[in-house]
Amino acid sequence: MSRPPVLGVNFGQSYASIAVIDKEGHPLCIANEEGERQIACAISYAGEEVYIGNGAKPHLVKNGKNTIMGFRNLLGHTYDEVDHTAILTAPLIPDSKTPAYTVDVLLPPTKAPTPAPRSAAPSGTATPNPGANEPVPSTKTLTVPEVTSLFLSTLLGSATDFLGVKPTQCVISAPTWFTPAQQEALKAAAEDAGMQVLQVLDEAAAVLVGYRVGLSEERKERGLLGQPEEGSAGEEEKRDKRVVVLDMGETSLSVSVVQVSEGEYTVLGRGRDDKLGGREFDDLLLKHFAKEFSKKTKVDLDLPCGENASAVDKRAEAKLRLAVEHTKRSLSASSGAATCAVESLKDGMDLSTAINRLRFDGLASGVYSKIGQKLVSVVESASLDLSQIDEVLLAGSSTLFPGLQSHLALLLPPTTPVTAAIDPSQVIAIGCALTALHLSELEDGLKVDDVLALAKEPVVCTSAPIGLVVPGSEELIKIISAGAPLPVRRRVAIPVEQGASQVGFELWEGKDEVKVEKVEKAPVEKDEDDEDDDYEEEDEEAKTAITVKTKALGGLQVDLKNGGNVILEIIVQRGGDIEARAWEEGRESEADKLA
Amino acid sequence: MASVETLPITLSALPSGWSKPAAAAPSAPSKLQVYPAGPSFISAARRQILQRSFAEDDEATAASRAAKANAVKNDGEENLYPGLGEEEESATVLASDPKEWKKQDHYAILGLGGLRYTASDDHIKVAHRRKVLRHHPDKKAGANSGTNDDAFFKCIQKAHETLTNTERRRQFDSVDWNIADDVPNPKTVPADQYCSTFAPIFAREARFSKVQPVPGFGDDNSSKKEVEGFYDFWYNFDSWRSFEWYDKEVNEGSDSRDDKRFTEKKNKSERARRKKEDNVRLRTLVDEVLASDPRIKRIKAEEKAARSAKKGGAATPSKMTPAEKKKAEDAKKAEEAKKAEEEKKAAEASKADREAAKKAKEAARKNLKKWKKSIATVITSSNYFLPEGTAAPPATIEKQLAELDMLVELLEPEQVKDLKEKVDAAGKGEPAKDAIVSAVKSVGDAGQGKFEQFA
């Protein structure tokens, strides 16, 4: 069966990646012609040549004024709205409404050289002026949407080369905080680049789709589950869970808290720190290496340097930044020491040094804890506690550091996996490609626009969890979580004790709470009477997520004949009305209904 | 489908005295942002857009899944190209000798005798599979035939091997002796059957073209461009036809390198000779067909007529006075009209059925010309509406006449007639011009900005 050629584009501020669907229908992040999966969002004009992608990055060193980087976040903004203090890259020009760059280019000679005289005999005319064939220096003004289109068209070209045909439909990612105007601008730019954009997808949503969160079987089959220290989350995924998507790119960090209800994703809270990114790590390494360089060579070098530093220092910074990029990658890739070598860093002196993981984690611990704080604050702003989070999904190249991953794992309960089963730098592109596939295979005459329009406005969701209570017990077993889009249906099987002829249970509405238990020390907050707990050694207080029952919704009673499981089905309709049925397996016609 | 999760509890028998709690409605739902992504979201959207309940949606998805599975089953090869390769083989085909594979008809063996070079790769694949199913030696194991049982199977395999290899297939197609290559003598083919005779012959030759598609032969009424394009293509024909098929086998057992080289050299020269022969054959064919193509004659005649008409009109234009020029032009026009009329008449004579309509049209056009001529005469005699005695500059004359042409084109024939009558009535000078100007105005928007002299 042939599949439509679709393309998923992760368009980040610093790097982009592209994914397609392979022959088996699985998404695959592909490399461009240069063999890079992470394609730098950079365009450099050098004379007659235009470099796009990773080839443009080295031009920052000597041709910074003609190199354009970091243009994505400017989309959909006017000049006045954006921060125009980019130091090294091409300057933004103030005299246009949409932000634009001006670069120096060499235009090819306008006039074709006059044809040479046919005869070899010396002619009376003077020798042709060699200057006439020289390219003409000129300037070129590019608006941000134009730059974006140009860049996206190269991505499209790479995908076309890989697939052999031009992808018909694309899904392109946008940051969680993009306004609708920015999304429109991005879509328009992508369409100018020749892409047929089905959807501009939130990066967090792309991560969730990439991991197939909530689709337990598929996720397990593809081996995308995380590895928690304890608990069963590594083998079996819960149908309803709370997930945090932590996306840390080159320049910013965004955290989204999402309620997953059987594969539908409801946003509970989100936050962003646009100063916290992979650049932070760069700066740390820069500082570290500069210090080491000064110590070794006695050449004064203080990096990162400010705006009014000398040209020599700026050049050194640009050079070292490029080198540090590699160091960073090898730090996250292998456990050995990562080298950093720059020839003629400053005053003709070379830098050649190495750093190991432990040292780096020591340097970066400040950044790690900042990330952790951001995570905690976003979760708390959604009025939740870290113990109520079932999984953390990582995205963005900067989350590749093992040190960061273990730091996050320490913050969270040991049952909560910090998942990086898909390469975090590829997961967004993969999610986009999957979404493009889903949208291109709509059935029953559904139209993409109609489907997407349904989620433009907030939708009705359950406001409180609904669950089952065994008669005489206080414990509520959650069946439907709060925040599940309506209508929602859940079916559960309940094993029955041998020999029982009649069973019954109650349905209750509940409330999510955190049970805090103090170990050894005096209680700080409320103390509940449950004692048994198994993780206490190092923790001073142990928190567990529980659901307490608040309001009875009714009860169900089933007569048993064969001793099979009891099946319970609960449907909450769009209006909030609840329907519930329970029956013994195989005897659905005799179901007991909620009155 | 609803997935069923097993709860980590076990229900025990009901405690006595338990009664169901009173039913109550759950808390009012809240509104939250949802990410429009993922298969589950699409399912939810489908339910909402199509107004389906969970149960209905389960049914619909199950039905569509079943239908899809069914479609996949039916889409298999069994139903592709019904009848292909399933006919009974004739005795001659069955008697093919696998050792004489150069002489066997590979297409006939696979049952593709009707398709030959037009057979697609899919045709060959399907036909081969069906033939193998019928003629596999295992199927005949119990039959009474002798040792030669798998001969036909070997032929099938050889045919498949040849036809699935593009190069080998072209070699075979190049020399396919089952395709007639006779060509009638173009000189003896009557003109009215010329195209219908040669179109299939060139279509047949076109199979050797490296450049596809090949322009068609066209029909009796093809334009000069089409005909010329056709012959141009065939004079620059790039053929992939080759004659390796006739190569003599190099004696593998022979140790003599010279022997081998000799055979190879001979084969090569033989191939080149045949290729050259074939090129000459095609060239001669095109030459002959071109020489007696009635369409070329027709086009030449038309061109000659056009040229002579041009010559008559364009003679010594610089020395003529404007009036003379005008006269000459009129004469030329009249001549042309006459010629056209004569030609038309001749055509009409042969095609009696179209007569009536054409005649009416022609009459109208003739009249139109007559009227226009008379208006032009008035214009000329009024010295192009310039003061008496001044010689009209050629530019003005040109413009006025061009505008008159344009005006006549824009007006309906009746209106032209009206105009002519008015102009005639007005006589010479300004009144005549006024009549023309009013006619220009009546044209309205269509003539906007096009008229200067008669504005």
Side-chain angles (χ1 to χ4, degrees):
Chain A
M1 204 173 93
S2 70
R3 290 168 184 282
V6 294
L7 175 67
V9 182
N10 167 26
F11 181 38
Q13 165 82 337
S14 314
Y15 285 92
S17 48
I18 45 178
V20 297
I21 301 294
D22 67 10
K23 278 181 196 140
E24 284 84 41
H26 299 316
L28 177 75
C29 185
I30 60 171
N32 69 357
E33 304 81 59
E34 296 164 12
E36 290 284 350
R37 286 209 180 80
Q38 297 299 307
I39 303 154
C41 298
I43 297 176
S44 181
Y45 285 86
E48 284 174 276
E49 302 284 332
V50 185
Y51 298 91
I52 300 175
N54 302 55
K57 274 201 117 182
H59 285 269
L60 203 54
V61 177
K62 57 176 181 183
N63 195 17
K65 289 279 170 258
N66 294 324
T67 303
I68 303 171
M69 282 170 83
F71 46 85
R72 184 201 66 182
N73 289 357
L74 309 181
L75 272 174
H77 280 305
T78 61
Y79 177 75
D80 299 325
E81 285 169 353
V82 302
D83 168 34
H84 25 79
T85 51
I87 310 171
L88 291 162
T89 57
L92 284 171
I93 52 169
D95 56 340
S96 96
K97 201 163 161 263
T98 46
Y101 299 97
T102 305
V103 289
D104 298 325
V105 291
L106 290 176
L107 291 179
T110 42
K111 253 201 256 170
T114 44
R118 295 217 175 139
S119 75
S123 64
T125 54
T127 337
N129 175 19
N133 295 343
E134 288 289 306
V136 193
S138 170
T139 58
K140 187 173 174 132
T141 305
L142 293 138
T143 63
V144 167
E146 280 169 5
V147 174
T148 311
S149 296
L150 179 62
F151 180 73
L152 290 177
S153 62
T154 62
L155 294 185
L156 186 66
S158 303
T160 309
D161 287 348
F162 181 86
L163 291 169
V165 285
K166 199 179 152 194
T168 49
Q169 287 155 328
C170 308
V171 167
I172 186 162
S173 75
T176 304
W177 45 269
F178 251 33
T179 60
Q182 284 179 294
Q183 292 191 350
E184 275 311 305
L186 175 57
K187 191 172 179 181
E191 267 158 15
D192 280 348
M195 296 180 178
Q196 193 206 334
V197 182
L198 288 176
Q199 187 181 14
V200 176
L201 186 64
D202 195 305
E203 280 171 357
V207 175
L208 292 162
V209 175
Y211 273 108
R212 287 82 148 180
V213 180
L215 307 168
S216 321
E217 282 161 31
E218 200 185 338
R219 194 169 176 201
K220 197 176 168 192
E221 189 192 317
R222 302 277 293 141
L224 301 177
L225 288 165
Q227 260 115 39
E229 289 167 43
E230 290 171 21
S232 60
E235 291 102 52
E236 205 54 61
E237 194 189 25
K238 285 203 277 179
R239 201 156 45 169
D240 300 86
K241 59 199 283 192
R242 279 196 202 91
V243 172
V244 168
V245 180
L246 189 121
D247 178 2
M248 186 169 172
E250 188 70 9
T251 48
S252 71
L253 166 77
S254 70
V255 180
S256 311
V257 187
V258 179
Q259 170 69 46
V260 176
S261 37
E262 213 173 11
E264 287 185 73
Y265 311 124
T266 320
V267 187
L268 298 179
R270 48 184 156 200
R272 168 193 182 215
D273 188 338
D274 57 357
K275 296 283 175 292
L276 202 56
R279 194 152 290 179
E280 256 346 78
F281 298 119
D282 283 355
D283 287 346
L284 287 171
L285 283 172
L286 223 55
K287 206 169 173 180
H288 171 78
F289 286 138
K291 231 185 242 166
E292 207 169 299
F293 177 74
S294 304
K295 213 161 97 188
K296 269 188 189 164
T297 61
K298 307 280 182 293
V299 175
D300 200 29
L301 182 63
D302 188 23
L303 295 179
C305 55
E307 207 169 332
N308 34 24
S310 68
V312 183
D313 279 4
K314 277 190 180 171
R315 254 178 75 99
E317 178 178 342
K319 267 185 157 179
L320 192 53
R321 238 178 229 292
L322 282 175
V324 155
E325 187 80 39
H326 279 275
T327 315
K328 218 166 63 165
R329 285 192 192 190
S330 39
L331 268 175
S332 34
S334 70
S335 53
T339 56
C340 178
V342 183
E343 273 192 13
S344 179
L345 182 60
K346 193 184 175 184
D347 297 350
M349 303 299 258
D350 299 351
L351 169 78
S352 176
T353 177
I355 185 169
N356 63 14
R357 246 184 210 179
L358 205 65
R359 189 76 198 272
F360 176 76
D361 287 345
L363 283 178
S365 61
V367 182
Y368 289 170
S369 62
K370 266 198 227 164
I371 297 167
Q373 280 160 19
K374 187 75 201 169
L375 170 68
V376 173
S377 75
V378 172
V379 170
E380 273 168 4
S381 69
S383 39
L384 292 169
D385 185 85
L386 278 186
S387 58
Q388 291 173 307
I389 302 298
D390 296 299
E391 186 171 13
V392 174
L393 296 175
L394 297 179
S397 323
S398 301
T399 57
L400 278 165
F401 290 115
L404 175 59
Q405 293 178 11
S406 52
H407 177 84
L408 292 174
L410 275 180
L411 279 178
L412 295 155
T415 48
T416 303
V418 176
T419 310
I422 306 180
D423 187 334
S425 55
Q426 301 174 5
V427 62
I428 297 174
I430 283 173
C432 287
L434 269 179
T435 307
L437 180 68
H438 296 151
L439 290 177
S440 67
E441 287 183 340
L442 286 183
E443 285 172 357
D444 301 323
L446 294 181
K447 290 197 179 70
V448 174
D449 290 342
D450 295 346
V451 170
L452 297 183
L454 294 179
K456 284 231 166 84
E457 298 296 318
V459 301
V460 283
C461 298
T462 51
S463 54
I466 293 169
L468 170 153
V469 175
V470 180
S473 147
E474 283 303 306
E475 199 187 355
L476 181 117
I477 297 147
K478 198 151 70 167
I479 293 173
I480 297 176
S481 315
L486 296 180
V488 59
R489 172 179 66 175
R490 288 291 178 274
R491 228 177 235 197
V492 290
I494 315 162
V496 178
E497 209 175 61
Q498 280 280 312
S501 63
Q502 195 180 44
V503 291
F505 44 81
E506 297 160 15
L507 294 180
W508 284 72
E509 197 174 81
K511 206 171 108 193
D512 287 322
E513 277 186 0
V514 182
K515 186 170 71 178
V516 184
E517 280 162 303
K518 285 286 145 195
V519 184
E520 288 168 15
K521 283 185 185 168
V524 179
E525 291 169 48
K526 60 178 175 184
D527 196 359
E528 288 192 25
D529 44 12
D530 268 59
E531 266 106 31
D532 61 302
D533 214 314
D534 19 41
Y535 23 99
E536 60 252 273
E537 272 94 274
E538 62 237 74
D539 278 338
E540 289 183 344
E541 55 182 24
K543 291 178 174 177
T544 35
I546 54 157
T547 314
V548 294
K549 59 180 191 179
T550 52
K551 186 170 153 195
L553 299 176
L556 289 167
Q557 196 172 330
V558 182
D559 295 329
L560 297 169
K561 282 186 183 155
N562 316 322
N565 287 351
V566 170
I567 307 287
L568 166 66
E569 183 186 76
I570 307 179
I571 298 177
V572 183
Q573 295 294 4
R574 197 177 304 282
D577 300 328
I578 185 166
E579 292 167 17
R581 292 185 303 145
W583 65 91
E584 188 184 4
E585 219 166 359
R587 291 166 58 215
E588 191 173 345
S589 51
E590 298 166 42
D592 183 27
K593 284 183 188 151
L594 194 70
Chain B
M1 287 306 267
S3 65
V4 180
E5 209 168 69
T6 308
L7 291 185
I9 52 159
T10 312
L11 284 179
S12 42
L14 264 186
S16 56
W18 177 79
S19 62
K20 294 179 182 178
S27 321
S30 55
K31 285 206 162 192
L32 287 172
Q33 184 71 48
V34 164
Y35 283 135
S40 307
F41 170 75
I42 290 170
S43 307
R46 181 182 61 224
R47 286 194 297 266
Q48 191 176 340
I49 290 171
L50 304 177
Q51 301 277 323
R52 286 184 189 162
S53 73
F54 281 106
E56 284 165 358
D57 191 57
D58 284 350
E59 263 170 44
T61 41
S64 81
R65 226 174 262 174
K68 233 188 230 164
N70 233 355
V72 168
K73 223 190 264 167
N74 291 340
D75 208 25
E77 260 174 20
E78 297 91 82
N79 300 338
L80 219 58
Y81 315 121
L84 188 76
E86 278 171 341
E87 81 291 327
E88 280 302 318
E89 294 83 5
S90 68
T92 40
V93 169
L94 278 174
S96 308
D97 183 356
K99 281 176 196 146
E100 296 282 313
W101 59 270
K102 279 216 172 176
K103 287 180 191 149
Q104 85 182 28
D105 181 354
H106 296 300
Y107 287 114
I109 283 180
L110 290 185
L112 296 167
L115 291 167
R116 305 218 84 92
Y117 62 90
T118 58
S120 71
D121 288 351
D122 273 350
H123 283 133
I124 294 169
K125 198 173 127 194
V126 170
H128 171 247
R129 188 153 300 173
R130 287 181 190 158
K131 286 285 174 194
V132 166
L133 279 175
R134 285 237 311 271
H135 295 284
H136 198 276
D138 289 356
K139 291 232 165 175
K140 306 198 169 174
N144 48 5
S145 324
T147 49
N148 202 23
D149 219 358
D150 61 348
F152 189 61
F153 179 72
K154 279 181 182 159
C155 291
I156 293 171
Q157 292 302 68
K158 190 71 196 175
H160 180 246
E161 185 193 314
T162 307
L163 297 185
T164 47
N165 180 329
T166 320
E167 203 185 327
R168 306 272 299 140
R169 187 176 172 191
R170 280 193 165 181
Q171 288 175 8
F172 178 69
D173 281 344
S174 296
V175 300
D176 194 342
W177 52 90
N178 290 290
I179 294 173
D181 55 355
D182 53 319
V183 178
N185 186 354
K187 282 175 192 150
T188 58
V189 177
D192 55 337
Q193 289 169 22
Y194 204 80
C195 292
S196 55
T197 311
F198 284 104
I201 288 174
F202 277 94
R204 195 177 72 199
E205 291 293 334
R207 72 183 191 272
F208 297 123
S209 175
K210 279 183 189 163
V211 186
Q212 296 286 357
V214 174
F217 193 80
D219 53 24
D220 290 328
N221 301 321
S222 293
S223 69
K224 185 188 173 198
K225 206 179 148 200
E226 283 165 350
V227 176
E228 275 181 350
F230 172 80
Y231 283 110
D232 258 3
F233 179 87
W234 282 96
Y235 275 123
N236 298 314
F237 192 72
D238 194 2
S239 159
W240 51 256
R241 195 172 188 181
S242 66
F243 296 92
E244 280 92 345
W245 201 261
Y246 294 135
D247 280 1
K248 282 211 173 62
E249 288 294 320
V250 177
N251 188 358
E252 290 297 332
S254 134
D255 288 334
S256 164
R257 204 189 301 162
D258 292 338
D259 216 24
K260 241 183 203 171
R261 282 196 188 148
F262 176 72
T263 320
E264 266 165 21
K265 203 173 151 194
K266 224 175 161 187
N267 278 339
K268 203 176 159 194
S269 64
E270 186 69 2
R271 258 182 261 150
R273 185 187 63 79
R274 284 183 200 273
K275 177 84 182 166
K276 204 171 162 191
E277 233 170 41
D278 183 56
N279 285 346
V280 170
R281 175 194 65 86
L282 185 67
R283 179 77 185 212
T284 326
L285 169 68
V286 180
D287 274 343
E288 281 173 358
V289 171
L290 173 66
S292 16
D293 194 335
R295 297 176 302 175
I296 300 285
K297 277 177 204 143
R298 190 199 77 214
I299 289 162
K300 269 191 182 151
E302 276 171 11
E303 272 181 355
K304 199 176 168 192
R307 233 184 354 258
S308 65
K310 214 172 177 183
K311 231 183 225 163
T316 58
S318 56
K319 281 178 190 169
M320 274 198 280
T321 62
E324 270 172 351
K325 198 173 165 186
K326 177 78 195 96
K327 218 181 197 171
E329 248 168 56
D330 284 349
K332 183 182 138 199
K333 259 184 208 161
E335 199 181 271
E336 258 175 21
K338 217 167 142 190
K339 200 175 264 166
E341 199 185 333
E342 269 166 17
E343 268 176 14
K344 270 272 142 49
K345 263 182 192 162
E348 272 167 0
S350 65
K351 288 167 193 169
D353 50 336
R354 279 197 252 156
E355 242 169 353
K358 277 244 166 114
K359 242 180 198 166
K361 226 178 185 179
E362 184 53 37
R365 201 177 297 164
K366 217 166 74 190
N367 282 336
L368 212 59
K369 270 178 191 145
K370 234 190 250 164
W371 296 326
K372 191 164 104 186
K373 195 176 146 195
S374 80
I375 298 169
T377 320
V378 172
I379 295 174
T380 319
S381 58
S382 316
N383 197 19
Y384 300 98
F385 307 121
L386 291 171
E388 277 299 323
T390 49
T396 316
I397 298 168
E398 199 76 3
K399 249 185 201 163
Q400 287 193 359
L401 290 179
E403 278 174 26
L404 178 62
D405 280 351
M406 199 150 55
L407 179 63
V408 171
E409 237 169 70
L410 288 169
L411 290 174
E412 294 294 319
E414 294 83 56
Q415 287 173 310
V416 179
K417 195 177 171 194
D418 270 4
L419 175 63
K420 180 231 162 196
E421 274 159 11
K422 268 187 207 158
V423 171
D424 278 349
K428 282 182 171 190
E430 280 308 308
K433 189 177 180 179
D434 289 345
I436 298 174
V437 170
S438 69
V440 167
K441 275 179 188 151
S442 75
V443 175
D445 285 345
Q448 199 70 46
K450 286 180 189 161
F451 294 94
E452 282 175 25
Q453 297 285 333
F454 298 128

